[in-house]
Amino acid sequence: MKFLRKLYEQVFYSEYGELATTSILVTSLFIFIYLFEIPVMSMLNNMGLLNLPYVFEFASIVTIILIVSICSRAIRTSNALRMLIYTIFFAVSVGVSFIAFSNVYWFADTISYETLTVFSSLSKFIFSLGLLGGAAVPLTIKMKQKKQGIVRLIILIIWSFAAFIMLKITNNRMLLDISHISIRWYTLLEYLTAVILIIAFAIHFRSYTIEKKKFVLKFMNGIAILIIAQVVRLTFMRYTFVYHLIYSLYMFIGYYYLYHSLFEYNIVTPVNELINEEKQIKLYAENLEVIVDRRTTEMSSNNMRLIQEIEYAKSIQQSLLPARKVNFNKVIFTSEYFPCERLSGDFFDIYRLDDDNIGMYVLDVSGHGVSAALMTMFCNNYIKSSEKLIMKYRGLKPHRNLKHFYEEFNKMNFPDEMYMVMFFASYNIESGILTYASGGINCYPLLMRKDGTKEYLDKSQGFPICKMSDFFTPTYTSETIQLTKGDRIIFYTDGLVDNVKNDTISEELLEEVMYNYRDLSLKSLNNKIKSYIHTEDGSNEDDITYFIMEI
């Protein structure tokens, strides 16, 4: 008993419980009516229900029509090829069923059993072909173009043709004489139908084990009942009332299961999904303000944290810059630094090489912001070595310093699009000679002598610092120029004179200011240049950096 109870629970409470229960009940009903045929027939006769089989047949036809309607609608919504196959084959099956049903004495004066049997068998055969053809096509396969209009036209033609034949039959005019067809031929048709239904069931079963879609399981229930109905048909090839009753009942139940599964898949499920989406939208709309406030708070918090981190990076970067005013015995420097963002891609430095020599450079990294700022820190580390002898050796020979820096830059795994331009110089305080080299700088330092003579330090034409060592080895050269007391040189990046990106001074106006203020203090000159630089509205698109050297 425990074994049977465990078996019962495993079968009836499993995912296939409904299929097993339906099959057992249908089979039990068949056995019951088979054993008590005479009492059942007597009871139905007393109740006036001997025409009940025809009611089931008519209900089956109506159910197939509903199936065709659902599949036709599914073509419009999902454009699934399987639904197209169902629609066409089931529509043909309905037409043939109507022709078979028209041979019942409700429509015709005499009953043509041969015609009824042949057309009924043909209808089931066509229906089973539709099930098999649909099962062979996955639901995911879609038609390239929608065929809704063509499908409706095909259905209209099929049913119009069936109606025409029915009218002829009701007028006792047979278009085809099929009385000579042997019973073995439509018996073969019945066997083929049973085989096709079994194959269709097997394909759907395999599909269910893979996809686990509930509607496929319910669809399998319908096919299973149609198979049992076909077994009843093959068991009673000779017409009896019991056969007719059970067979028509089972066919109706099988068709209903198919209708219910397709209705659930193509109508109920999409509607439920739509309702759930509407509920989600409504819920989201009701909580939108709360969600927006929470997300805004999170974003503000993250943004503030990011700004703090950038401010820390800014303070670190600017701590590496020299003081705004530097005095080396007979040489004075003043500088200004205006990043267009919190972090800058411009950088400069002024430092002692030894007691007699001063090193200086200005550079401009492509872009600006975080990536450019990180690059400037790398540059500061490699251009100005922490070893005094190396720093002096490179500093006194600007071209060697640039060559070394180019080689080190290409050893790094920087992005290929990253590059920079720079200008490096060293000044000997005793001799008054400035030695310089260009690393692709696009705005040469401007020398304004005490007597008003101007000169650009453009004798050195170097190559930018970039990732090109695999294709090109640049040559850097150093040039010299003699400076005297009262001479001034302004070193700057292109942001200072770029009037397209920035609201600042032009190159011609810079020359004019340098000339007009050559006899005034360095502070006055610097203030005048700053007066042309407007950074209050934050509209500048490039960093602005410069420093002025006065002998």
Side-chain angles (χ1 to χ4, degrees), residues 355-367:
D355 293 338
D356 297 324
N357 295 282
I358 304 169
M360 65 201 79
Y361 68 87
V362 62
L363 61 85
D364 185 0
V365 178
S366 60

Side-chain angles (χ1 to χ4, degrees), residues 70-246:
I70 292 173
C71 294
S72 177
R73 180 187 180 279
I75 295 174
R76 183 174 68 253
T77 56
S78 66
N79 212 29
L81 181 58
R82 178 185 290 191
M83 296 303 162
L84 175 64
I85 296 173
Y86 284 163
T87 302
I88 294 176
F89 277 88
F90 294 171
V92 175
S93 176
V94 169
V96 177
S97 295
F98 265 121
I99 296 173
F101 198 69
S102 65
N103 285 273
V104 179
Y105 64 85
W106 294 350
F107 296 92
D109 293 336
T110 58
I111 299 176
S112 175
Y113 179 75
E114 294 81 4
T115 304
L116 173 63
T117 305
V118 170
F119 280 108
S120 178
S121 300
L122 182 60
S123 173
K124 290 182 296 179
F125 177 73
I126 295 172
F127 192 91
S128 63
L129 285 178
L131 290 175
L132 180 61
V137 178
L139 282 168
T140 54
I141 296 181
K142 310 291 183 180
M143 295 180 291
K144 294 182 179 180
Q145 296 180 350
K146 291 188 176 181
K147 309 291 186 181
Q148 184 68 16
I150 299 176
V151 171
R152 289 179 177 177
L153 180 60
I154 293 174
I155 295 173
L156 180 61
I157 293 173
I158 293 171
W159 288 356
S160 298
F161 182 70
F164 173 75
I165 296 177
M166 286 175 60
L167 291 174
K168 294 297 183 181
I169 293 175
T170 55
N171 293 327
N172 294 324
R173 295 174 59 186
M174 291 297 299
L175 296 180
L176 294 173
D177 182 12
I178 58 175
S179 60
H180 62 280
I181 297 179
S182 174
I183 190 174
R184 62 183 179 182
W185 291 109
Y186 51 79
T187 302
L188 177 62
L189 202 61
E190 295 288 349
Y191 276 105
L192 288 175
T193 302
V195 171
I196 292 173
L197 288 173
I198 293 172
I199 296 174
F201 180 87
I203 295 175
H204 280 90
F205 181 80
R206 181 178 179 275
S207 174
Y208 175 76
T209 58
I210 297 173
E211 301 175 357
K212 294 297 181 181
K213 292 184 177 181
K214 291 184 178 180
F215 100 94
V216 177
L217 186 61
K218 193 175 290 293
F219 204 82
M220 288 164 51
N221 287 343
I223 298 177
I225 296 173
L226 292 178
I227 292 173
I228 296 174
Q230 201 62 19
V231 171
V232 173
R233 175 73 180 92
L234 293 172
T235 304
F236 297 95
M237 290 305 299
R238 183 180 58 83
Y239 178 84
T240 65
F241 176 78
V242 172
Y243 142 71
H244 196 186
L245 175 63
I246 297 176

Side-chain angles (χ1 to χ4, degrees), residues 471-535:
F471 313 99
F472 178 69
T473 302
T475 300
Y476 297 98
T477 58
S478 294
E479 300 291 339
T480 60
I481 189 170
Q482 182 68 51
L483 302 179
T484 58
K485 184 174 177 58
D487 291 347
R488 290 173 176 174
I489 303 176
I490 181 169
F491 300 81
Y492 58 95
T493 59
D494 59 355
L496 178 64
V497 293
D498 190 346
N499 295 117
V500 176
K501 294 182 178 180
N502 297 333
D503 185 5
T504 182
I505 193 171
S506 66
E507 192 169 354
E508 294 78 10
L509 187 56
L510 178 63
E511 294 176 2
E512 183 179 336
V513 171
M514 291 286 289
Y515 177 81
N516 293 335
Y517 281 74
R518 68 188 186 279
D519 294 326
L520 298 179
S521 66
L522 187 60
K523 181 178 180 181
S524 299
L525 172 61
N526 186 43
N527 288 337
K528 184 61 177 179
I529 295 174
K530 284 198 300 181
S531 68
Y532 291 100
I533 302 173
H534 303 285
T535 60

Side-chain angles (χ1 to χ4, degrees), residues 317-380:
Q317 184 187 35
Q318 295 190 1
S319 68
L320 300 175
L321 295 171
R324 294 181 63 183
K325 187 174 182 180
V326 181
N327 193 334
F328 292 106
N329 297 336
K330 302 176 182 179
V331 186
I332 303 173
F333 292 89
T334 185
S335 61
E336 296 295 340
Y337 182 73
F338 302 98
C340 67
E341 297 181 5
R342 285 184 169 84
L343 295 174
S344 173
D346 287 358
F347 199 78
F348 71 96
D349 201 0
I350 304 164
Y351 56 96
R352 275 192 179 275
L353 297 174
D354 56 26
D355 293 338
D356 297 324
N357 295 282
I358 304 169
M360 65 201 79
Y361 68 87
V362 62
L363 61 85
D364 185 0
V365 178
S366 60
H368 41 265
V370 176
S371 59
L374 291 174
M375 186 62 69
T376 62
M377 296 183 183
F378 160 80
C379 300
N380 180 68

